[in-house]
C-alpha cells in the first residue's frame, strides 16, 4: 500500500530584505523542526522541495553555520515562530 505524502500550504512573507517561508505548526511538528533547523532547498521548474538536513551534533561546520544563522536571524525567526 502506497501512502501518499501529506500536502500542506505555506506562505511567503517579507523578511529583512528577502523572503521567508512560514510553515504551519502540524508540519513543523511532523518534520521535527525547530527555530534554526537547516533545510535543503531543491527546485525544478516552478516546484520547490524543502528537506530537513539531519547532521550529527559533532559536525563543527554545521554547528558553525547554525550559530551564524542564529546570531544573524535569531530574533526574526523567534518572532516568526510566535
Amino acid at each position: 500500500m502506497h501512502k501518499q505524502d501529506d500536502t500542506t500550504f505555506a506562505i511567503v512573507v517579507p523578511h529583512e530584505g528577502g523572503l521567508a517561508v512560514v510553515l504551519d505548526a502540524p508540519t513543523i511538528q511532523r518534520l521535527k523542526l525547530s527555530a534554526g533547523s537547516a533545510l535543503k532547498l531543491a527546485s525544478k521548474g516552478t516546484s520547490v522541495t524543502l528537506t530537513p538536513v539531519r547532521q550529527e551534533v559533532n559536525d563543527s561546520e554545521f554547528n558553525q553555520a547554525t550559530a551564524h544563522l542564529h546570531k544573524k536571524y535569531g530574533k526574526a525567526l523567534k518572532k516568526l515562530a510566535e
Side-chain angles (χ1 to χ4, degrees):
M1 178 181 207
H2 175 71
K3 183 179 178 198
Q4 187 174 8
D5 290 337
D6 292 329
T7 299
T8 187
F9 295 92
I11 61 170
V12 178
V13 297
H15 175 67
E16 295 186 8
L19 298 172
V21 176
V22 179
L23 304 172
D24 62 10
T27 301
I28 292 167
Q29 292 170 352
R30 187 174 61 253
L31 297 175
K32 298 179 182 169
L33 299 174
S34 61
S37 290
L39 299 171
K40 175 183 160 189
L41 185 143
S43 62
K44 184 175 184 179
T46 59
S47 295
V48 174
T49 303
L50 295 173
T51 306
V53 175
R54 308 290 185 211
Q55 299 255 344
E56 291 183 26
V57 176
N58 295 332
D59 186 345
S60 64
E61 185 176 319
F62 177 78
N63 289 338
Q64 288 175 359
T66 302
H68 171 74
L69 291 172
H70 180 68
K71 182 178 179 181
K72 188 171 183 178
Y73 299 111
K75 289 180 183 178
L77 290 170
K78 186 174 181 180
K79 285 182 184 180
L80 285 172
E82 295 175 350

